[in-house]
Amino acid sequence: MTGRGLDGFYRAGRRLLSRCEVRVAGREPLAVQARMAAADRACFVGTLRTSPQPHPDPEVVVERNRHADGTERITLRSAASRPLRLPVEVALGTDLADLRAIASGNAGPELAATVHASGLRWSRANREVSVTAEPPPADALASAGLLRWEFDLPPGGSTSLELRVRPHGAGPLRAVGRAATSPLAPARAAGDDPGVPALLRTSIDDLQALLLRDPADPADIHLAAGAPWRCGLAPADALAAARSTLALGTGLAAGTLRTLARTQLRGTGPHSGMIPGPRRDAGPHLPPQCTGTEATLLFPALLAEARRWGLPEHETEELLPAAERCLTWLRTAVGDGTYLRDPHSGGPVRCEIQAHAHRAGLLGAELLDACGRPGGTGLRQWAQTLRAAFREEFWIDDRGGGRPAAASTPDGRPVPHLGAAVVHLLDTGLLGGGQQAPGLLDKVQTEHLARLLGNPAMDSGWGLRGLGAKEPGYNPFGHRAGAVRVHETALAVAGLAAAGHEKEASSLLRGVLAAAGTFGHRLPEMYAGEQRADGGAPLPHPAACRPAATAAAAGVLLLTTLVGIRPDAPARKVTLRPVHSAPLGEIGLTGLRVAGAPFSVRVSRLGLAMVEEAADGLQLGV
């Protein structure tokens, strides 16, 4: 790590360490390899010549294993035939900047260090971070940010030192660990397409590597947003990823919901009932968006769907009060109006937020009814009013058949650009009996949207662009201005397939599966939306997390969409709605979880689905 660009150890979007340069015998090792050793570990290998004799062969290997939890282990191995005394220096520095400032080139200078315990410490405002070393250094120079050792290596010998980066007042991230009981079922895939087994296996491995324990209750497990930039809880991402992986069991959903219920705002103010979340860039046409709004709306929807997948009733009852507070906030925020506006004054009415709110209202109403709580009727009536208004006021007619507006400005003008946020209109949610909830668009409008998403302006050949290539402000590397975001592509595939638009769904599915192969099936959070060409590969995005919770969960969602599992565990019923065109040929998924028991299903090349394993008494619906 040189301190240039995005280099660094991060925690929850904050750079804790920007520079970590190793010199052995006064020289930097020659880099020969860099690789992802696991979802949460990168390995860097360098070599060094130490002999005064003129020969080309390196005698020392320097291996650096960097873990997402903020630990780096540096190992020196000697191949020399004589004993070596090797001085080792590690030069450290940080700016304690946040990711947004770093990505914009405004990180600021490095901070001055002080000697602390067996390492160094940096402070800025109310933030503080330290790096400690084991074994302790022989010398520490705060002014230069240097730690020094001298190691004696016998012929063929090795030695190691370990650096630990920690913010002040925080222990290490409470990773679940691969030996612990996981809330994720060890599902496996098989089929005609060789990429299918690898994608599911790697997606589950990535999710496992991102699991964290809630410090307030270590029994509750949730997902970190991603590595290396966002090794912490991002509420909207954690909920979305848990929802996409319900086929692997409801344990992750339950742990995520309990963790976030503890953060829910209480009291009597306008934000009472919200799940707090940071603001997020929304692209060139809209102001930043409050992810707390999205998380608050996802909470009751996830609880309702987790119940359909088999979340035990006592766990549902335990979480129901928090879901009710989310729904009360929704109705209060809408007030006497129809739309859910931005929580900040003067903000737009966003298309995708109406989709989240509509889904929360319908799924929340079913949840309240099923648990004998009041409020379901009022939510359904409001959702019906919202549908009627949205279909009329958010649809922009044009010669091509029209498109949904991305948003409506405070004075009622539509924001007409076409971006991937519209896929949330297709994500309507699961009701009882295996039925999809009605959406904000009618059938004809959904058909027009499907054609737009299947057009090359949106379908890059590697997945769905965040902004259409013909729209003003398009940038293939733009976070939400043209880059392919894997989570939104997976939602588009699932939504299009559920609506019967299999051609468009299959094209996007094949594109993202091809992209996954170029990334070793470890899908990044996003990649450039450049048009696919023969012999090409998608360009990595320099600021993308890899692994990322939503991208790994998208791998699960893409494959489970093909078999179309729609469970209703309280009714002891499961319905299958496979993609009949079988775009990847035959596919079989084993070791999933429905109603708390193993579930396996196979779809033939003709698109016919067959259950091969299921819970006792679980009936197959039609």
Side-chain angles (χ1 to χ4, degrees), residues 20 32 69 90 163 199 222 226 256 265 276 303 316 353 400 406 408 425 467 494 538 564 571:
C20 182
V32 296
D69 66 356
V90 177
L163 305 173
L199 178 60
H222 63 272
T256 304
L265 301 178
L303 180 58
T316 303
I353 291 300
S408 174
L425 295 171
L467 184 66

Side-chain angles (χ1 to χ4, degrees), residues 225-230 523-526 543-548 551:
W229 324 118
R230 301 168 68 205
L523 281 165
E525 173 187 12
M526 59 184 166
C545 286
R546 180 172 175 260

Side-chain angles (χ1 to χ4, degrees), residues 61-98:
V61 174
V62 181
E63 182 174 302
R64 301 173 66 175
N65 278 282
R66 189 171 298 156
H67 295 256
D69 66 356
T71 302
E72 178 163 333
R73 188 168 186 83
I74 303 169
T75 300
L76 285 71
R77 296 195 300 271
S78 171
S81 58
R82 66 192 187 285
L84 297 178
R85 168 159 285 196
L86 296 176
V88 175
E89 289 184 343
V90 177
L92 304 167
T94 188
D95 47 27
L96 288 178
D98 63 51

Side-chain angles (χ1 to χ4, degrees), residues 34-58:
R35 60 188 173 88
M36 291 287 291
D40 54 353
R41 180 166 60 90
C43 180
F44 307 89
V45 180
T47 59
L48 198 72
R49 288 184 61 253
T50 59
S51 172
Q53 302 302 319
H55 64 78
D57 299 332

Side-chain angles (χ1 to χ4, degrees), residues 9-25:
F9 267 125
Y10 289 75
R11 184 159 179 176
R14 174 77 52 188
R15 180 155 66 181
L16 303 184
L17 188 67
S18 57
R19 188 165 55 88
C20 182
E21 299 174 291
V22 176
R23 292 188 286 271
V24 179

Side-chain angles (χ1 to χ4, degrees), residues 566-609:
R566 297 184 185 178
D568 189 349
R572 304 300 296 171
K573 182 178 178 181
V574 63
T575 304
L576 298 179
R577 294 286 186 268
V579 177
H580 294 298
S581 59
L584 302 182
E586 183 172 319
I587 181 173
L589 301 178
T590 60
L592 303 175
R593 289 289 184 275
V594 175
F599 186 85
S600 301
V601 62
R602 184 169 299 278
V603 177
S604 73
R605 296 180 184 91
L606 300 176
L608 302 175

